[in-house]
């Protein structure tokens, strides 16, 4: 019988897009999610888009009994682990939550996987593990550091995976370091649904474009970048989801825990992002310059060549597509969720 793929956090922003791609590719999928940052209607939307069913278990990844139960009930061949907390600012206020959810959640998952003889993992890491890089584009062998509890929790998990993989053979772990995921499913049915005031540029900008917020504050225009604003590697979430499928497929050929950048390799400034979204929405988007946000870096974009070599993956969707799909979601999808 075909083995199943366990997707923790499969109802979230990146997880939901990945589950659609997995189902479309014919995988048997078990989603485990505590729905702390996702609406239940996402599950029906995934089923509708893929035109296939999957198993859903409402449980926290920190709940060891539920994890064991999942591995008892299903023949899990590999795990794609998204479940975790992801807001940098919040992590400085609630470090215990971040270490428990992210680190302890992964520790319990790895122990359970080991107990059931499953050693194939695709992990959601982040470009945040590069700290403030000395140069760009960023390659996987650059030094690692963290400046906040969220970043530290990702780095600790990476270290845990590396130590585990060197302690015994057989582990195949892809540490996928995401750059800045944006956009939404082209159907307008899946997307990012930030609770409260968005922290990240694109969700905030989309709300300003829709008239839900008066203007965007650009966090600093005195960085050593072409227009003085921060430069990032924005990546369409559907491309990112496909990167997970490519990683899953490539796992048998990986040795130990292997970090892989998932980015486009192109950097855009905050002002370029505003202009791109203005082209999409067809009207000016109000913005003003404010002070730098503490902890922000000037430039962050990937050297994506390892992903191409090891996974045969590269991003294919451009900035206009990211804006179009993000705007479509903002107008049609987000509000109709329940
Ligand atoms: N920015 C603004 N105004 C805003 C929000 C953001 O000017 O209201 C700027 C930031 O200063 C930065 C750029 O837009 O230059 C992107 O900011 P985001 O918050 O969207 O993304 P970051 O690159 O700061 O953070 C993201 C993820 C983190 C991850 C980090 C490093 O959100 O989880 O990338 O990989 F840690």
């Amino acid at each position: 019988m075909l083995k199943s793929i366990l997707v923790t956090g499969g109802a979230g922003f990146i997880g939901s897009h990945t589950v659609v791609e997995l189902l479309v590719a014919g995988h048997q999928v078990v989603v485990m999610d505590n729905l702390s940052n996702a609406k239940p209607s996402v599950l029906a939307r995934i089923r509708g888009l893929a035109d296939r069913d999957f198993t859903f278990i409402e449980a926290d990844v920190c709940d060891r009994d539920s994890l064991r139960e999942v591995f008892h009930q299903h023949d899990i061949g590999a795990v794609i682990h998204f479940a975790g907390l992801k807001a940098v600012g919040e992590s400085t206020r609630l470090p215990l939550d971040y270490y428990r959810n992210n680190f302890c959640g992964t520790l319990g998952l790895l122990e359970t996987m080991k107990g059931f003889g499953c050693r194939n993992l695709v992990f959601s890491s982040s470009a945040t593990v590069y700290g403030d890089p000395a140069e760009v584009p960023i390659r996987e062998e650059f030094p690692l550091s963290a400046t906040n509890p969220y970043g530290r929790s990702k780095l600790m998990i990476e270290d845990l995976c590396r130590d585990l993989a060197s302690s015994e053979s057989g582990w195949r772990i892809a540490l996928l370091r995401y750059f800045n995921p944006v956009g939404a499913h082209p159907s307008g049915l899946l997307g990012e649904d930030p609770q409260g005031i968005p922290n990240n540029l694109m969700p905030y900008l989309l709300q300003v474009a829709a008239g839900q917020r008066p203007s965007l504050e650009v966090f600093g225009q005195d960085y050593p970048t072409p227009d003085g604003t921060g430069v990032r590697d924005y990546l369409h979430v559907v491309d990112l989801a496909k990167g997970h499928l490519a990683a899953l497929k490539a796992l048998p050929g990986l040795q130990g825990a292997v970090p892989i950048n998932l980015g486009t390799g192109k950097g855009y400034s905050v002002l370029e992002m505003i202009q791109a979204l203005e082209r999409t929405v067809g009207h000016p988007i109000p913005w003003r310059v404010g002070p730098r946000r503490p902890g922000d870096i000037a430039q962050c974009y990937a050297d994506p060549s390892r992903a191409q070599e090891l996974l045969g993956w590269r991003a294919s969707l451009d900035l206009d597509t990211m804006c179009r799909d993000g705007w479509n979601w903002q107008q049609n999808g987000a509000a109709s969720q329940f």
Side-chain angles (χ1 to χ4, degrees), residues 178-211:
Y178 311 154
F179 283 69
N180 291 58
V182 297
H185 197 273
S187 63
L189 292 173
L190 299 176
E192 192 172 11
D193 190 16
Q195 291 170 359
I197 303 170
N199 297 305
N200 296 115
L201 176 64
M202 265 318 249
Y204 200 104
L205 201 50
L206 286 164
Q207 293 190 3
V208 177

Side-chain angles (χ1 to χ4, degrees), residues 86-88 125-131 148 150-151 154 177-182 192 198-205 215-220 223 229-234 268-270 273-274 288 291-293 295-298 300:
K86 60 172 187 178
V88 173
S125 189
S126 163
T128 195
V129 298
Y130 295 113
N148 56 69
Y150 161 74
K154 292 286 178 190
R177 295 179 179 158
Y178 311 154
F179 283 69
N180 291 58
V182 297
E192 192 172 11
N199 297 305
N200 296 115
L201 176 64
M202 265 318 249
Y204 200 104
L205 201 50
S215 93
L216 174 85
E217 183 176 345
V218 175
F219 296 147
Y223 285 103
T229 66
V231 168
R232 296 291 184 275
D233 186 336
Y234 297 93
Y268 289 103
S269 73
V270 177
M273 294 304 285
I274 298 172
R288 65 198 156 76
R292 289 184 180 193
R293 181 170 62 179
D296 272 1
I297 56 177
C300 178

